[in-house]
Amino acid sequence: MSHAAANNKTETEAATNSSLKQSLPQPANSHDAKLLNGTLARTNGLTHAASAAVNSSSSGYGSSSAAGTGAGSGGATSSAASAAVGPGPPSTALPLPPSSNGLQMPYERFRADDSSYVPIGQFYAGRSVFITGGTGFMGKVLVEKLLRSCPDIRNIYLLIRPKRGQEVSARLTELLNAPLFESLRQEKPKELSKVIPISGDITSEELGISEKDQNLLCRNVSVVFHSAATVKFDEKLKLSVTINMLGTKRLVELCHRMLSLDALIHVSTAYCNCDRTDVSEVIYAPPYNPDDIISLINWLPEDILDQLTPRLIGKRPNTYTFTKALAEHMLLKEAGNLPVAIVRPSIVTASLNEPFAGWVDNFNGPTGLVSALAKGMFRTMMCEKNYVADMVPVDIVINLMIAAAWRTATRKSNNLLIYNCCTGQRNPIIWSEFVKHAMTSVRKHPLEGCLWYPTGDLRMNRPMNTLNCIAKHFLPAYILDGVARIMGKKPFVVNVQNKIAKAVECLEYFATRQWRFKDDNVHALLNTLSPKDREIFVFDVRHINWDKYVERYVLGFREFLFKQRPESLPASRKRMLRLYYLHQLTKLVAVLLTWRFLMSRSKRLNDLWSSFLENALKMARLIPFL
């Protein structure tokens, strides 16, 4: 970087930090420092003191439910903060009792004699829903579940981006022809006509939606699910901010114009606060003011921004978790009086039951690594085997989202509710158990064209892991590619190993650390559901049988990602048996060659071996006479 660029970078960081200090109040104590320091009207699980500071303040963010920025113990308003955010009316939020401990409000349990209870399916009857990210992994499951379990839903509007010259109508047709919608196509084909495409782009102003379609949404939509995001861990900061933050801001602006909005559900991630080990269902103070980061990406050259990125994200591992944390705070600021809730899933994996067990459509996260393990191409990684692998099936997350929207709409509140959708507290599985189940399943249900017998180890010794990567991943890959070149075929194994290494690098941060995600709000929401709704919209993670789930997971990616039918399993198992014997033979040969090499280099070892064999033969001669 040039001297001028370096100065520019230093000035940028100084300006950003200065703006942050001005726009956020100083905490009165260490506990309040963890939260939003009482800057916003939505109490969001703030302590009694922080909530009181909110109520005593008289200026804040320029929305109808925004509160003042009380500074210190006296709650005086910072002039710099006031200048930054503008004046606003006094907060109407009520202070939480000191014993609330992060719960937004008391959750009443379901009572059979409660005549005011509205079943979830009935709540969605006649309503129209708007979904961003509807063509993604979670979005597809959400659309299918709403059509299947809420049959009287009016319309589902999907924000779809024209892609590679393909119109949104063609993309919608392709989406609805996916295996995921097979049962609906056969049993309820008319339901699919309720899905209406809205041409747009989350990265564009006003979401790229035409004025006509905006008016259509504003007149008809009463529930919004915002799941559009870039989930690439190595995404450039500029694009990550544009999608995860600006996209959220633009959606909120549209929601403010909706005439009958009853619920906005924002999908975040449990790992947006991965810089702390204990994560409650609250929004924590962000590392920077979101507006400052947005300004930064607008005026800084991208090369300078790339150099600043590691400093900006701090203890977080990537731009994804960084921008998701900022997006939550921005949502809290911009939402005003909108009925909003945030769902934070941990690592989202294949479906548990719906629409059928094991459904998955991408290689993200553990799926890619387990697939590589099944192919015999992945054998070692850095991972703390006794740490919790906090992963959650996609249908669990979707059911929670649907129930959270129902709760937000039917129990009006001034609080922004947050739901940590995780398994680590109620039904944990550690990494060693997950790998054990996966290893058993990929051997029982092998993939066609396995390159080697699946084995693997989890290590926390980096030098040993690196040696094993070289010996077990890249050395065989170069040998196989060399053979392919000799035979006149296109080499590919080294390229695949490079992709696996990149995926492992992304997952390593999460496999070598452990978090405790509190899920009290999720558990409380579950208790408000009727027995029938609990059966239809299942999100109780205590019912997951991990052994059976991982087996279905393996069968799922075998069928839906590798397109291999169950009829091919007998032939694959025969091949797996041959690979097993070849694997054992290779280990035996390796041991013998190593022993032979050591004996040829050590006379003392050679003498000891000769003496051992001589004594063994003497004992063998005596056996028949014993």
Side-chain angles (χ1 to χ4, degrees):
M1 191 195 316
S2 68
H3 181 68
N7 288 338
N8 194 6
K9 171 181 173 181
T10 304
E11 292 170 3
T12 299
E13 291 174 348
T16 300
N17 291 332
S18 175
S19 178
L20 171 64
K21 290 177 181 178
Q22 291 180 349
S23 58
L24 289 178
Q26 299 303 310
N29 54 54
S30 60
H31 178 75
D32 290 349
K34 295 191 301 181
L35 305 176
L36 284 180
N37 307 308
T39 59
L40 301 168
R42 294 177 178 274
T43 57
N44 180 44
L46 295 174
T47 59
H48 177 65
S51 297
V54 170
N55 293 321
S56 66
S57 165
S58 62
S59 65
Y61 302 99
S63 64
S64 60
S65 68
T69 54
S73 59
T77 304
S78 165
S79 59
S82 298
V85 299
S91 168
T92 57
L94 295 175
L96 294 177
S99 61
S100 65
N101 197 29
L103 282 175
Q104 310 305 308
M105 57 185 296
Y107 276 85
E108 68 280 5
R109 288 177 173 270
F110 170 77
R111 301 191 319 273
D113 60 348
D114 184 3
S115 58
S116 65
Y117 183 86
V118 178
I120 294 178
Q122 183 179 329
F123 162 75
Y124 282 95
R127 292 180 181 271
S128 291
V129 173
F130 179 48
I131 300 175
T132 69
T135 58
F137 177 46
M138 291 176 58
K140 293 174 186 175
V141 181
L142 175 59
V143 172
E144 196 278 340
K145 178 64 176 180
L146 286 172
L147 292 175
R148 180 166 45 86
S149 298
C150 305
D152 295 322
I153 196 168
R154 184 180 177 186
N155 285 311
I156 298 177
Y157 297 101
L158 289 189
L159 183 68
I160 301 179
R161 177 170 58 92
K163 195 173 181 182
R164 293 188 294 271
Q166 191 179 26
E167 294 297 325
V168 294
S169 56
R171 289 197 66 193
L172 178 62
T173 301
E174 181 182 336
L175 170 69
L176 298 179
N177 284 331
L180 185 69
F181 296 92
E182 181 65 30
S183 61
L184 278 173
R185 286 198 299 270
Q186 293 181 357
E187 299 169 12
K188 303 177 180 178
K190 291 183 179 180
E191 294 296 310
L192 298 177
S193 63
K194 295 179 179 179
V195 184
I196 300 172
I198 299 293
S199 180
D201 188 343
I202 199 76
T203 64
S204 301
E205 290 291 337
E206 297 185 336
L207 302 177
I209 304 175
S210 68
E211 185 177 351
K212 178 183 177 182
D213 284 343
Q214 286 184 44
N215 292 333
L216 175 70
L217 296 174
C218 292
R219 286 195 309 269
N220 298 317
V221 170
S222 57
V223 178
V224 175
F225 294 98
H226 178 44
S227 63
T230 173
V231 297
K232 288 179 64 177
F233 285 174
D234 56 349
E235 190 70 84
K236 296 275 190 180
L237 181 61
K238 187 179 183 69
L239 184 56
S240 192
V241 168
T242 301
I243 296 176
N244 294 344
M245 294 175 62
L246 277 173
T248 301
K249 186 174 184 178
R250 291 160 179 162
L251 177 68
V252 170
E253 289 170 355
L254 178 63
C255 288
H256 274 295
R257 296 169 49 201
M258 292 182 178
L259 302 178
S260 56
L261 183 70
D262 287 322
L264 164 60
I265 303 301
H266 172 73
V267 181
S268 184
T269 171
Y271 295 101
C272 65
N273 297 299
C274 60
D275 55 334
R276 59 181 68 242
T277 54
D278 289 282
V279 181
S280 297
E281 292 169 306
V282 298
I283 295 179
Y284 294 92
Y288 299 99
N289 187 314
D291 292 331
D292 291 341
I293 298 298
I294 292 173
S295 298
L296 208 63
I297 68 159
N298 286 333
W299 62 266
L300 262 189
E302 193 158 359
D303 58 337
I304 302 297
L305 198 59
D306 292 343
Q307 294 173 28
L308 273 176
T309 296
R311 295 281 300 277
L312 290 172
I313 65 177
K315 295 181 180 179
R316 289 178 172 83
N318 48 57
T319 58
Y320 172 65
T321 56
F322 175 70
T323 54
K324 277 295 190 179
L326 291 172
E328 285 192 0
H329 181 259
M330 187 176 62
L331 180 65
L332 188 63
K333 169 187 170 182
E334 300 286 342
N337 58 356
L338 293 178
V340 183
I342 296 175
V343 174
R344 292 178 181 158
S346 52
I347 302 173
V348 183
T349 51
S351 62
L352 176 66
N353 293 311
E354 298 178 284
F356 29 75
W359 184 80
V360 64
D361 74 343
N362 64 78
F363 287 99
N364 295 338
T367 306
L369 300 185
V370 177
S371 300
L373 173 72
K375 276 285 189 180
M377 301 179 69
F378 178 58
R379 299 178 175 281
T380 181
M381 74 171 287
M382 289 287 294
C383 177
E384 177 49 71
K385 62 182 180 181
N386 293 319
Y387 280 179
V388 172
D390 206 315
M391 52 189 70
V392 59
V394 62
D395 49 334
I396 294 283
V397 184
I398 296 307
N399 287 330
L400 174 61
M401 288 168 58
I402 294 172
W406 163 82
R407 173 72 189 189
T408 303
T410 57
R411 296 290 188 273
K412 300 296 184 182
S413 169
N414 193 43
N415 301 319
L416 191 156
L417 291 172
I418 299 166
Y419 301 92
N420 286 342
C421 186
C422 310
T423 57
Q425 294 295 307
R426 310 283 173 178
N427 188 7
I429 179 173
I430 59 176
W431 284 108
S432 60
E433 291 176 349
F434 175 73
V435 171
K436 177 185 174 184
H437 294 326
M439 200 79 71
T440 301
S441 297
V442 298
R443 292 169 181 171
K444 182 179 178 182
H445 310 290
L447 294 174
E448 298 173 27
C450 260
L451 296 178
W452 200 255
Y453 186 72
T455 61
D457 293 294
L458 304 177
R459 310 174 194 276
M460 283 301 288
N461 185 315
R462 188 169 294 280
M464 184 62 68
N465 186 67
T466 302
L467 285 174
N468 274 273
C469 278
I470 295 170
K472 296 180 179 180
H473 291 174
F474 286 98
L475 184 59
Y478 278 104
I479 292 173
L480 288 172
D481 276 0
V483 172
R485 286 189 178 92
I486 292 171
M487 298 175 64
K489 297 182 179 180
K490 185 178 179 180
F492 68 94
V493 186
V494 172
N495 186 41
V496 171
Q497 283 295 353
N498 286 330
K499 290 181 179 179
I500 293 173
K502 190 174 182 180
V504 170
E505 184 181 356
C506 291
L507 190 61
E508 183 181 299
Y509 178 90
F510 303 95
T512 55
R513 290 165 177 79
Q514 184 166 252
W515 293 266
R516 289 180 292 275
F517 299 113
K518 307 296 178 60
D519 61 349
D520 296 332
N521 284 345
V522 176
H523 190 62
L525 175 59
L526 179 67
N527 289 331
T528 67
L529 267 59
S530 67
K532 185 176 180 180
D533 276 345
R534 289 191 197 187
E535 291 178 7
I536 299 173
F537 302 93
V538 178
F539 57 89
D540 189 349
V541 298
R542 294 172 297 183
H543 296 160
I544 300 174
N545 181 316
W546 287 112
D547 190 4
K548 292 181 180 178
Y549 171 72
V550 174
E551 182 175 5
R552 292 169 179 170
Y553 190 175
V554 169
L555 286 168
F557 70 65
R558 186 183 192 276
E559 179 176 356
F560 303 114
L561 295 181
F562 289 93
K563 310 300 181 184
Q564 298 175 8
R565 304 300 300 169
E567 293 79 15
S568 67
L569 276 172
S572 297
R573 286 171 180 149
K574 289 180 181 178
R575 178 182 173 85
M576 180 61 67
L577 186 61
R578 291 195 296 270
L579 288 175
Y580 169 76
Y581 288 125
L582 181 59
H583 177 66
Q584 299 301 332
L585 179 62
T586 303
K587 289 198 296 183
L588 178 61
V589 170
V591 169
L592 292 175
L593 289 175
T594 303
W595 183 248
R596 179 64 180 167
F597 173 79
L598 293 174
M599 287 187 58
S600 67
R601 293 292 186 275
S602 172
K603 186 177 183 304
R604 179 174 177 78
L605 189 61
N606 202 352
D607 292 341
L608 286 173
W609 179 245
S610 299
S611 176
F612 171 76
L613 287 178
E614 184 180 347
N615 291 328
L617 288 172
K618 288 179 180 179
M619 292 295 294
R621 293 191 190 101
L622 294 175
I623 289 175
F625 303 99
L626 292 178

